[in-house]
Amino acid sequence: MFEEILDVSGCACGKNHTLKTREYIVEKDAMQKLPALLGRLFPEAKPLAVFDRNTHKAAYPKFSASLPDVPVFILTDDEIHADERQVGLVTQALKDGGSDLLLAVGSGVICDIVRYIAFKEDIPFIAVPTAASVDGFVSNSAAMTLNGAKITLPAKAPNAVVADLEIIASAPKKMTASGVGDMLSKYISIADWKIGHLITGEYFCPFVADLTIEAVDMIVQNIEKINSGDIGSFGVLMKGLLLSGVAMQMVGITRPASSFEHHFSHYLEIVPIEGVNRAALHGEKVGIATIQAAKYYPVFARRLNRIYEENIPNHFDIERVKGYYAQYPQGIVDAVEKENTPTITAKLDRDLLEQNFDKVLQIADEVPSAESLTETLRTIGGYTSYYDINMTDEQFKETMKICCYIRNRFTLLRLVCDFELFDFDHELTV
Ligand SMILES: [Zn+2]
Ligand SMILES: [Zn+2]
């Protein structure tokens, strides 16, 4: 699997791409192949397998049948975050047992904890996903909560991924819907990347962009079969999620997989809003935001010509942005100021925008409609509206106005915010 993209030399983007994660086993009884994989890649290693209580229940029977002698460490807290506490617990277990290889048996959070430790201790790790819930399994950065702040830190990409589809197809439906929501966001992130390239000259890889869109298209086409629990179709979903991660690894940035819709989700994670369901999964929030992004994408794009026709200045004002976040702890306000200075939209080239405006519209119009994305998420039983996470209309408007400042990334939403091309208080239809 993926053999043809492990090494891509002479890519159209001008780079050679080489993957760090070079082994992928995605099949019904993948767990049974784990011993042979370990024997081949790490014959001398002393592995430690990390679970939480849920993944232990779901995956340990098959795991222990394959690897009865591998020691296991179970994270037992009720709520597990990728934070100092869990990192400390796993690191201690690693040292106590003299282990030098980690197996992350779980979904996103366990993988983040393990990949962060693998990086710090400079040891290899293998991702053993137990649910098709996120696209970040082969990521080389970890979403950590350290000192109470949510940050992305350098971490290790797994040496291999072993995805047992029987276990993954038995995961709670909510997690599968989250994986689908995370994938749908690629329609927005790739459109933003293409437009950013056209009007700021930023780096862009057409191969990676196409690969990402193929991955999500493949999932959308199989959504009914995935919903029916068909194990082969879970293979399509898992392969799509992995391909999105592979795409990020190829270019070494998260640009192909994360844009405005992820900022919406990150915003809710960093600055929790009164009453809004904090327990919603990453991909659930991303899916909701993706539908909204698709709804406004063509609208926003059609405002951009005003920038050069009316010579509209960039209205970005760090004091105003800090004002948006004033009600939150000073640490958040400081982080927002640091992140956004200088604003990324200063890179907009007005001449390039004017020359490429038709292409920008074309890219915007190729984003699937909000209705079709809603239909896909509805089919898999996912969240489709911000009401599903108990967000009010007012909170939604506020979030749309503010969330692009959680990351300094060039997006259509960010352009519209900085150049004040859209009145979020009056033009959003809720
Ligand atoms: Zn390339
Ligand atoms: Zn994501």
Side-chain angles (χ1 to χ4, degrees):
M1 196 178 143
F2 304 163
E3 287 80 7
E4 66 282 6
I5 50 171
L6 290 179
D7 299 289
V8 177
S9 49
C11 183
C13 72
K15 283 192 180 178
N16 297 323
H17 304 293
T18 297
L19 288 181
K20 291 192 182 74
T21 309
R22 302 186 71 83
E23 302 270 350
Y24 300 83
I25 305 176
V26 180
E27 55 192 57
K28 180 168 172 279
D29 293 313
M31 199 69 99
Q32 291 170 5
K33 296 197 172 171
L34 189 48
L37 180 92
L38 286 175
R40 189 159 50 81
L41 295 183
F42 307 105
E44 308 294 334
K46 284 186 71 181
L48 173 71
V50 182
F51 294 77
D52 66 23
R53 284 193 301 208
N54 292 329
T55 66
H56 187 257
K57 204 168 146 197
Y60 189 68
K62 270 187 115 165
F63 180 89
S64 60
S66 295
L67 292 163
D69 302 324
V70 168
V72 162
F73 183 73
I74 307 168
L75 296 166
T76 54
D77 287 356
D78 286 338
E79 260 193 58
I80 294 175
H81 301 284
D83 59 11
E84 295 94 340
R85 175 171 161 78
Q86 308 302 332
V87 166
L89 290 168
V90 176
T91 306
Q92 192 60 48
L94 183 78
K95 302 253 155 97
D96 289 349
S99 301
D100 54 11
L101 167 68
L102 284 165
L103 309 179
V105 192
S107 60
V109 176
I110 291 189
C111 273
D112 276 338
I113 295 167
V114 167
R115 85 174 82 245
Y116 179 70
I117 298 170
F119 177 76
K120 292 201 83 161
E121 302 294 326
D122 195 22
I123 57 171
F125 99 93
I126 295 175
V128 187
T130 53
S133 54
V134 284
D135 71 344
F137 293 112
V138 300
S139 168
N140 55 4
S141 59
M144 305 297 294
T145 308
L146 299 178
N147 299 318
K150 201 148 177 130
I151 40 175
T152 303
L153 289 176
K156 210 163 218 179
N159 296 65
V161 180
V162 177
D164 189 306
L165 296 176
E166 191 178 48
I167 294 170
I168 289 166
S170 312
K173 189 78 180 288
K174 201 176 158 60
M175 302 192 89
T176 307
S178 170
V180 173
D182 204 15
M183 277 310 284
L184 292 182
S185 73
K186 311 317 165 205
Y187 289 125
I188 307 298
S189 53
I190 294 294
D192 271 341
W193 196 21
K194 284 180 176 170
I195 292 175
H197 171 64
L198 282 176
I199 66 180
T200 71
E202 74 169 287
Y203 166 77
F204 173 73
C205 174
F207 180 83
V208 161
D210 289 349
L211 189 70
T212 305
I213 293 298
E214 277 167 32
V216 52
D217 281 347
M218 194 167 77
I219 291 170
V220 172
Q221 283 154 16
N222 283 277
I223 199 71
E224 277 163 19
K225 283 202 217 151
I226 296 169
N227 186 54
S228 74
D230 173 59
I231 288 197
S233 301
F234 268 86
V236 173
L237 173 57
M238 202 61 215
K239 193 176 168 195
L241 289 166
L242 290 172
L243 270 176
S244 172
V246 159
M248 284 187 267
Q249 237 190 53
M250 289 178 92
V251 288
I253 44 176
T254 58
R255 186 63 158 143
S258 165
S259 203
F260 145 54
E261 71 305 319
H262 271 73
H263 298 164
F264 186 95
S265 171
H266 293 154
Y267 176 80
L268 296 182
E269 284 155 21
I270 293 166
V271 284
I273 301 176
E274 178 88 36
V276 175
N277 175 13
R278 288 198 64 191
L281 301 174
H282 169 77
E284 291 179 319
K285 288 175 281 192
V286 168
I288 292 166
T290 298
I291 290 171
Q292 294 295 335
K295 183 172 166 188
Y296 291 102
Y297 213 87
V299 180
F300 290 169
R302 280 172 174 75
R303 302 276 167 104
L304 299 185
N305 56 332
R306 287 185 51 206
I307 295 177
Y308 58 84
E309 282 171 4
E310 299 168 30
N311 208 16
I312 292 177
N314 190 335
H315 291 288
F316 174 80
D317 172 7
I318 192 61
E319 293 308 320
R320 182 183 59 174
V321 173
K322 280 162 71 182
Y324 288 151
Y325 289 84
Q327 56 178 310
Y328 300 108
Q330 190 59 36
I332 290 177
V333 181
D334 292 345
V336 164
E337 178 168 20
K338 190 162 168 252
E339 172 70 19
N340 292 293
T341 311
T343 181
I344 189 77
T345 55
K347 294 197 166 150
L348 170 72
D349 182 322
R350 290 163 188 258
D351 293 338
L352 283 179
L353 174 60
E354 187 167 1
Q355 286 160 29
N356 290 300
F357 184 63
D358 288 343
K359 285 187 195 160
V360 168
L361 290 188
Q362 196 188 334
I363 293 165
D365 290 339
E366 281 168 7
V367 170
S369 68
E371 291 74 23
S372 74
L373 297 173
T374 302
E375 184 57 35
T376 301
L377 277 172
R378 206 167 266 154
T379 303
I380 197 77
Y383 290 167
T384 56
S385 157
Y386 53 84
Y387 294 144
D388 292 332
I389 53 170
N390 297 329
M391 185 181 250
T392 65
D393 294 341
E394 284 311 311
Q395 288 171 328
F396 169 67
K397 284 181 183 175
E398 196 67 7
T399 304
M400 285 286 278
K401 213 170 13 179
I402 300 176
C403 71
C404 66
Y405 298 104
I406 214 79
R407 293 272 188 283
N408 201 9
R409 175 161 281 186
F410 196 91
T411 69
L412 199 48
L413 179 74
R414 177 72 178 238
L415 260 186
V416 162
C417 286
D418 278 1
F419 285 82
E420 296 182 353
L421 301 172
F422 189 84
D423 180 346
F424 287 89
D425 291 320
H426 300 100
E427 290 190 90
L428 283 177
T429 51
V430 294

